[in-house]
Amino acid sequence: MRFPKIFLILAALLALSACERQEAAPVTGESAGPPAFGDTLIMGSIGDASNLLPVLASDSASSDINGLVYNGLVRYDKEFNIEGELAESWDISPDNLTFTFHLRKGVRWHDGTPFTSADVLYTYQLYVDPNTPTAYAERYLLVKKAEAPDPYTFQVTYEQPLATALISWAMQVLPKHLLEGTEITKSPLSRKPVGTGPFRFAEWVPGEKIVLEANPDYFEGTPYIKRVVYRIIPDQSTMFLELQSGGLDHMGLNPIQYSTQTDTLAFNRRFKKYRYPASSYTYLGYNLRRPLFQDVRVRQALGFAINKQELIDGVLLGLGQVATGPYKPQTWPHNPNVARYPYDPERARKLLAEAGWRDSDGDGVLDREGKPLAFTIVTNQGNDQRIKTGEIIQRRFKEVGVDVKLRVIEWASFLKEFINPGNFDATILGWTIPPDPDGYNVWHGSKTKLGELNFINYQNPEVDDLLDRGRRTLDQAERKKIYDRFQEILAEEQPYCFLYVPDALPVVASRFRGIEPAPAGIMHNFIRWYVPRDEQKYTR
Amino acid sequence: MLRYILKRCILMIPLLLGITLISFLVIHLAPGEPTDMQTQLNPEASVELQQRLRAQYDLDKPLLVQYGKWLGRLVQLDFGDSFAQDRRPVFEKIVERLPITILINVLSIALILAVAVPLGIISATRRNSAFDRGTTIFVFIGFATPSFWLALLLMDYLGVRLGLFPIAGVKSLGYEYLGWIEQVWDRIHHLVLPVFVSAFGGLAGFSRYMRSNMLEVIRQDYILTARAKGLSERAVIYRHALRNALLPVITILGLSVPGLIGGSVIFETIFAIPGMGKLFYDGVMMRDYPLIMGVLVIGAVLTLVGNLLADISYALADPRIRKA
């Protein structure tokens, strides 16, 4: 079952994100032995990877592994600032159109071949080649000119300034010498990747496991952990049992497991739990083509009628926070000073009355011109949190006289019959929050065609203008102003009722040391994790 | 006889064609396409790009053209490449997953037979005894127990708390470093729970079936004759009755041939076993048309062959069928 995965390239870079409220403290003060090489980390993954050529893969299991095998020119650091990876530094021309990357010297592919700018150029050409079946070409098609003037310089020029241009070069660079002249979909590299990253590919048993081994020549130093095993365990309960029996060292918990099933002394001795806001939010989106939702007072009233804390307590067992807009709280684009909609059924009733909705026939449902205030919320099957959210909202809406039905539909039909053609009243869905605030594809008025992402048909000339400017502005302070205003408008107009940002709840075996939770999660310094010599579990 | 078999074989061809055509149309009627995984709700994928991807998979062509192309490959025994992002040959993917599924199914059928046949016989011969009533209760519990629940329960008690069995997977980490005796033991160790769970539900049905067959048979005149001859009860039951009671069971076994490769999504998912059930389920979820068709064709062929074999054995047993 797939959850909507938006901004996949970026989401992949940020496997786990922001970490303000972790409960388990990092290992400081503990009797941690000195860093030692060795041991194996076994991770649990619900799905098998599909393809280990990043240009062709779009699933999270593949991105997790590709993230350890390959490098990009740049990456996000633990605070979500852009830093160099394969690029040592870069210059941006005064007109913000030309980017010149100065590449690291002495980097080698896992097969020993030196890495050069020709690899970067080749990767770029692969992405924009119409014969490459990739879903990620869009951003690279905006490049006017790309060249590799010398082995350690790579230069791209754009037609017009693009705010996300720099981070788009976080795309994973592929080895030209192994791919050039081959048919990309038939390349053996999709099963046996060769990258420049901290871990080398060792083995893939389909449906069972993928094994990576530390790259002794990694340019940032050899990772302490000698081996990483991804075990594919398709069932969340099995994975949890496997964790308890010692067959796994790392997995993501769900709220029930986190708060009720792991509160034993024995568990906490063997594992450390972490908790920080995930990079996603859940919302109730109104189809603005429907006359009912064209009145902003109705949308605001519905916002006041929903008790968001109740949703967080009931659905997430308190492990989340209220969302006020499309950005993650405590990150730079987030604007906390926007209109809020605390639970206030009185105000909801008043606003609805202002909009002309009254219970004239005394049946408990508001009506206007003989029509009851009734609509249907659709959501996708397979996501219990959304279904529960819908049920709780349904009850709260009933209290203010709004009659709501909830329909749960299988994912593919849900998209094809309801969301893409705009054939719904309201929907509960979620988006991934990328570190970059560009929300053009989801909010711009031009993105409302069949199959595009502004499926609620939100149109606001001021928002369009802000989004246009936001993606052309490279200065962060300037962009912050733009997106702050954008969030104010969204909060005022309530095209979505933003519901909650859930917490990510990873757990790691406590023999692993050196984990430093940060806004970007716990994986950012993975190559510096270690197990003290006397605690190592896997010696071979 | 040879003519009969030949006729049946030739008749199978249009039948197989019909099955593939209907399957092909039905899976294409389901909403969603293979490219959705990459493009739906993905802001990186523009509408033009979606079209381009569709064209690369031939999805922009009329359905019958797509079917024709697929059929053209099939007659050369080429199942095509998977539409999943890995783009591997369908045949390779199936062959990779097949052995473990067949192994588990064969073992669980063996377990079912080993337990259900004696259970059924004893229940039938001691009808209404405490044993018979006890088995009836056991059988109903078996019918009513959801296999995923049983699996989780066993994993929790026998796996986590008592540490007797591994919970998931088909072999341990570090399997490669074991000696061959240890490897065999490791495999067996991993198979105990999945085989038990997959057999458990079938056990109930099969023992009931065995019991009613047996009851049917021991009411027959020839059993009465055998008893009248003064044969021991043992000889009556095991030499005369059992053979006849087992005949319908063998028919059922024949029909379970296609099921051998089908696998079960539920226990393969719970025990993290990379088998056919999971492969097919994922294929359907991703709308991986070539893979779905590949599995369906193999299943259809096996079903047809199973039927053919059953018919041939009937024909061998009963000459009237041959002439009809």
Side-chain angles (χ1 to χ4, degrees):
Chain A
M1 191 55 43
R2 288 269 134 193
F3 306 115
K5 289 233 161 71
I6 182 178
F7 300 129
L8 271 158
I9 284 192
L10 295 170
L13 290 168
L14 130 143
L16 299 156
S17 342
C19 185
E20 282 84 12
R21 293 180 286 142
Q22 78 280 4
E23 279 177 3
V27 286
T28 48
E30 204 174 276
S31 60
F37 290 95
D39 214 347
T40 298
L41 178 89
I42 309 177
M43 297 198 179
S45 170
I46 287 273
D48 199 355
S50 64
N51 193 318
L52 296 182
L53 268 177
V55 61
L56 301 179
S58 63
D59 59 300
S60 59
S62 304
S63 327
D64 283 351
I65 291 156
N66 287 337
L68 295 177
V69 174
Y70 292 100
N71 294 118
L73 293 185
V74 296
R75 68 178 167 206
Y76 281 112
D77 70 2
K78 59 182 178 178
E79 311 281 348
F80 289 120
N81 302 308
I82 298 174
E83 65 175 14
E85 195 168 52
L86 286 173
E88 225 158 31
S89 63
W90 55 89
D91 311 313
I92 303 173
S93 65
D95 58 3
N96 286 335
L97 291 177
T98 302
F99 291 72
T100 309
F101 294 94
H102 305 289
L103 307 186
R104 232 178 238 271
K105 296 189 177 81
V107 176
R108 285 175 186 278
W109 293 99
H110 293 160
D111 65 358
T113 313
F115 155 81
T116 65
S117 58
D119 294 311
V120 188
L121 185 64
Y122 172 77
T123 307
Y124 156 76
Q125 286 160 348
L126 195 62
Y127 270 85
V128 295
D129 182 345
N131 293 320
T132 306
T134 181
Y136 303 127
E138 190 93 321
R139 214 188 286 240
Y140 306 104
L141 290 168
L142 300 173
V143 172
K144 196 171 76 179
K145 199 171 69 181
E147 354 171 61
D150 69 67
Y152 298 103
T153 310
F154 177 68
Q155 197 170 54
V156 278
T157 308
Y158 290 82
E159 203 90 49
Q160 38 186 327
L162 178 68
T164 55
L166 184 56
I167 196 59
S168 76
W169 297 99
M171 76 172 179
Q172 287 150 345
V173 181
L174 303 173
K176 178 183 178 184
H177 66 287
L178 294 174
L179 290 168
E180 197 177 32
T182 64
E183 197 185 327
I184 188 76
T185 57
K186 301 259 186 243
S187 168
L189 264 67
S190 62
R191 310 299 296 171
K192 292 184 174 129
V194 175
T196 50
F199 286 86
R200 288 174 171 178
F201 172 83
E203 189 193 11
W204 183 354
V205 187
E208 201 181 311
K209 64 175 178 185
I210 297 176
V211 183
L212 305 176
E213 264 157 14
N215 173 8
D217 304 325
Y218 188 51
F219 58 81
E220 289 181 315
T222 310
Y224 287 120
I225 309 237
K226 194 178 152 203
R227 201 153 39 131
V228 178
V229 178
Y230 279 80
R231 278 190 66 188
I232 293 106
I233 301 179
D235 183 79
Q236 172 94 16
S237 317
T238 306
M239 209 192 273
F240 187 54
L241 290 171
E242 191 66 271
L243 181 86
Q244 287 170 304
S245 75
L248 284 181
D249 297 319
H250 177 26
M251 72 176 275
L253 299 179
N254 65 31
I256 295 181
Q257 289 165 345
Y258 184 92
S259 54
T260 66
Q261 298 172 342
T262 53
D263 248 357
T264 61
L265 220 61
F267 189 91
N268 286 310
R269 208 170 34 237
R270 291 167 57 210
F271 295 99
K272 277 213 169 66
K273 294 193 278 183
Y274 298 87
R275 176 184 168 192
Y276 44 83
S279 287
S280 66
Y281 67 91
T282 298
Y283 61 87
L284 172 67
Y286 309 112
N287 185 351
L288 304 175
R289 295 177 192 86
R290 298 279 196 267
L292 171 63
F293 296 118
Q294 278 164 8
D295 190 333
V296 66
R297 287 170 300 188
V298 171
R299 304 197 299 264
Q300 289 173 336
L302 295 176
F304 283 118
I306 297 172
N307 185 345
K308 286 157 199 153
Q309 194 53 47
E310 171 188 59
L311 293 178
I312 292 165
D313 293 341
V315 177
L316 303 174
L317 306 180
L319 301 167
Q321 57 187 309
V322 175
T324 56
Y327 301 128
K328 189 153 96 171
Q330 285 103 39
T331 58
W332 73 262
H334 182 254
N335 177 1
N337 308 313
V338 297
R340 302 217 173 203
Y341 298 82
Y343 177 55
D344 190 346
E346 263 326 299
R347 248 175 109 181
R349 285 192 199 98
K350 221 151 84 196
L351 275 165
L352 288 172
E354 271 175 41
W357 294 94
R358 280 186 183 75
D359 186 8
S360 55
D361 53 5
D363 65 350
V365 177
L366 302 179
D367 52 74
R368 194 178 68 181
E369 294 152 12
K371 279 195 189 138
L373 181 44
F375 62 93
T376 303
I377 298 176
V378 292
T379 191
N380 67 297
Q381 198 203 2
N383 189 322
D384 274 348
Q385 293 186 349
R386 288 182 196 155
I387 298 168
K388 283 182 200 155
T389 300
E391 285 163 354
I392 296 170
I393 288 177
Q394 190 178 27
R395 206 197 81 214
R396 287 295 175 200
F397 279 178
K398 200 174 170 199
E399 283 176 4
V400 295
V402 181
D403 179 24
V404 164
K405 283 192 186 61
L406 185 66
R407 271 189 79 177
V408 181
I409 303 139
E410 185 268 337
W411 183 243
S413 326
F414 172 71
L415 288 182
K416 190 167 183 203
E417 311 289 332
F418 296 87
I419 298 301
N420 287 342
N423 177 25
F424 63 97
D425 297 332
T427 181
I428 296 175
L429 269 180
W431 286 123
T432 298
I433 308 172
D436 189 274
D438 180 16
Y440 188 87
N441 289 297
V442 176
W443 298 103
H444 199 273
S446 68
K447 290 287 181 182
T448 56
K449 288 191 289 287
L450 188 84
E452 291 190 314
L453 298 181
N454 187 352
F455 45 74
I456 60 162
N457 197 35
Y458 180 61
Q459 308 273 0
N460 181 319
E462 192 187 345
V463 164
D464 289 357
D465 178 54
L466 288 168
L467 290 171
D468 283 331
R469 279 199 287 140
R471 67 188 333 217
R472 311 231 172 289
T473 308
L474 272 68
D475 180 61
Q476 184 164 317
E478 202 55 40
R479 286 187 89 196
K480 168 123 183 91
K481 279 187 218 151
I482 293 172
Y483 288 110
D484 275 357
R485 175 71 194 130
F486 165 59
Q487 288 169 80
E488 282 169 23
I489 301 173
L490 285 188
E492 192 59 39
E493 296 219 313
Q494 288 287 297
Y496 286 178
C497 179
F498 297 95
L499 299 172
Y500 51 76
V501 176
D503 283 337
L505 306 166
V507 58
V508 186
S510 47
R511 69 178 194 278
F512 291 93
R513 307 291 159 75
I515 303 174
E516 289 171 13
I522 57 172
M523 292 300 283
H524 63 91
N525 70 335
F526 185 55
I527 64 166
R528 301 267 74 96
W529 291 18
Y530 67 94
V531 180
R533 180 83 59 206
D534 54 342
E535 290 180 47
Q536 294 192 355
K537 186 173 167 188
Y538 302 94
T539 45
R540 278 194 285 209
Chain B
M1 188 65 195
L2 217 69
R3 254 190 67 189
Y4 171 75
I5 296 175
L6 206 69
K7 212 170 87 185
R8 283 294 313 262
C9 284
I10 291 169
L11 274 176
M12 269 165 64
I13 293 169
L15 201 57
L16 197 62
L17 264 181
I19 293 173
T20 59
L21 181 64
I22 291 171
S23 320
F24 197 84
L25 294 180
V26 167
I27 56 170
H28 280 81
L29 277 178
E33 288 192 337
T35 54
D36 288 357
M37 291 283 286
Q38 279 164 283
T39 58
Q40 291 294 303
L41 298 191
N42 176 1
E44 297 282 333
S46 65
V47 175
E48 302 80 65
L49 217 79
Q50 295 182 23
Q51 295 307 329
R52 212 167 78 190
L53 269 181
R54 294 189 73 233
Q56 286 183 346
Y57 286 100
D58 279 341
L59 295 171
D60 53 344
K61 305 222 165 51
L63 215 51
L64 279 176
V65 174
Q66 292 183 46
Y67 177 69
K69 280 191 158 184
W70 176 80
L71 203 62
R73 279 197 303 268
L74 186 72
V75 292
Q76 304 161 37
L77 287 181
D78 175 8
F79 287 102
D81 289 348
S82 166
F83 279 179
Q85 288 159 21
D86 61 11
R87 301 286 194 111
R88 294 168 68 212
V90 167
F91 189 70
E92 202 181 297
K93 288 178 96 166
I94 292 176
V95 165
E96 204 168 70
R97 303 292 190 104
L98 210 48
I100 186 72
T101 300
I102 290 181
L103 178 67
I104 288 177
N105 276 306
V106 166
L107 287 177
S108 92
I109 287 178
L111 180 66
I112 289 175
L113 284 181
V115 177
V117 170
L119 214 63
I121 295 170
I122 300 173
S123 298
T125 50
R126 302 191 194 156
R127 202 172 158 199
N128 291 332
S129 66
F131 181 85
D132 185 28
R133 281 163 209 267
T135 341
T136 308
I137 292 171
F138 165 75
V139 156
F140 277 106
I141 291 173
F143 260 134
T145 311
S147 56
F148 76 91
W149 180 78
L150 179 71
L152 286 175
L153 212 64
L154 292 174
M155 283 155 76
D156 192 13
Y157 280 94
L158 302 181
V160 177
R161 290 180 202 201
L162 299 177
L164 291 177
F165 295 105
I167 290 168
V170 286
K171 48 190 186 214
S172 306
L173 191 79
Y175 175 85
E176 305 83 67
Y177 304 112
L178 300 172
W180 75 268
I181 297 177
E182 286 160 310
Q183 285 194 342
V184 171
W185 173 242
D186 187 63
R187 280 298 180 111
I188 294 172
H189 210 190
H190 277 87
L191 283 172
V192 173
L193 289 184
V195 167
F196 178 75
V197 169
S198 80
F200 193 71
L203 211 61
F206 222 88
S207 66
R208 281 291 93 172
Y209 186 64
M210 195 60 219
R211 177 180 181 269
S212 66
N213 274 343
M214 201 64 192
L215 283 175
E216 185 87 5
V217 170
I218 53 180
R219 260 189 245 121
Q220 304 285 323
D221 290 346
Y222 68 89
I223 297 295
L224 196 66
T225 314
R227 285 198 173 124
K229 283 197 299 185
L231 283 178
S232 72
E233 188 61 18
R234 226 187 138 71
V236 172
I237 298 295
Y238 292 98
R239 204 177 307 150
H240 294 267
L242 182 59
R243 263 197 230 168
N244 287 302
L246 274 179
L247 274 180
V249 171
I250 290 160
T251 317
I252 288 200
L253 279 184
L255 289 176
S256 63
V257 168
L260 283 183
I261 67 143
S264 158
V265 187
I266 295 176
F267 78 76
E268 284 179 9
T269 304
I270 290 188
F271 288 107
I273 294 168
M276 287 292 291
K278 187 79 175 77
L279 180 73
F280 187 62
Y281 178 79
D282 289 343
V284 171
M285 282 300 150
M286 282 189 266
R287 308 290 189 266
D288 183 351
Y289 302 143
L291 178 77
I292 299 173
M293 290 305 292
V295 177
L296 286 178
V297 165
I298 294 179
V301 168
L302 280 185
T303 312
L304 291 177
V305 169
N307 279 341
L308 180 69
L309 287 179
D311 284 354
I312 291 172
S313 15
Y314 285 144
L316 284 175
D318 189 344
R320 285 172 298 178
I321 294 173
R322 244 176 295 168
K323 291 185 184 118

